[in-house]
């Protein structure tokens, strides 16, 4: 999966177009490894929707079988 494919997947999960993916620290994402977290195993960071809304997100593997997803509003 590429960063663009992940952005498209997150857009589908949220139901609104994601414009930009950022790391948890707010840095631009260059590769998926920038978003990986070993424990619990999964991915996460910040994102900005096309309408300017900022959010945090987490996508993690549970029971080695299914992916769980969570978003929340982000304010700096």
């Amino acid at each position: 999966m590429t960063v663009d494919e992940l952005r498209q997947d997150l857009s589908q999960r949220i139901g609104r177009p994601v414009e930009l993916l950022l790391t948890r620290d707010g840095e631009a994402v260059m590769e998926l490894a920038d978003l990986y977290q070993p424990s619990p195993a999964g991915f996460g960071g910040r994102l900005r929707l096309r309408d300017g809304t900022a959010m945090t997100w987490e996508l993690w593997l549970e029971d080695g079988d299914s992916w769980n997803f969570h978003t929340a509003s982000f304010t700096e």
Side-chain angles (χ1 to χ4, degrees), residues 1-41:
M1 178 178 276
T2 67
V3 172
D4 282 338
E5 290 169 334
L6 177 59
R7 185 178 50 77
Q8 291 171 0
D9 180 73
L10 294 173
S11 294
Q12 290 176 341
R13 290 175 185 273
I14 295 169
R16 295 162 55 193
V18 173
E19 179 177 65
L20 182 63
L21 286 177
L22 303 166
T23 65
R24 288 174 178 83
D25 297 328
E27 301 295 323
V29 173
M30 299 300 177
E31 56 188 51
L32 290 182
D34 296 339
L35 301 170
Y36 182 71
Q37 174 181 304
S39 181

Side-chain angles (χ1 to χ4, degrees), residues 5-6 10-12 14 16 18 22 24 26 31 38 41-42 47 49 51 55 59 61 63-64 66-69 75-76:
E5 290 169 334
L6 177 59
L10 294 173
S11 294
Q12 290 176 341
I14 295 169
R16 295 162 55 193
V18 173
L22 303 166
R24 288 174 178 83
E31 56 188 51
L47 58 80
L49 302 176
D51 68 6
M55 302 179 87
L59 182 65
L61 190 59
D63 299 328
S66 61
W67 288 93
N68 284 330
F69 180 67
T75 53
E76 291 187 64

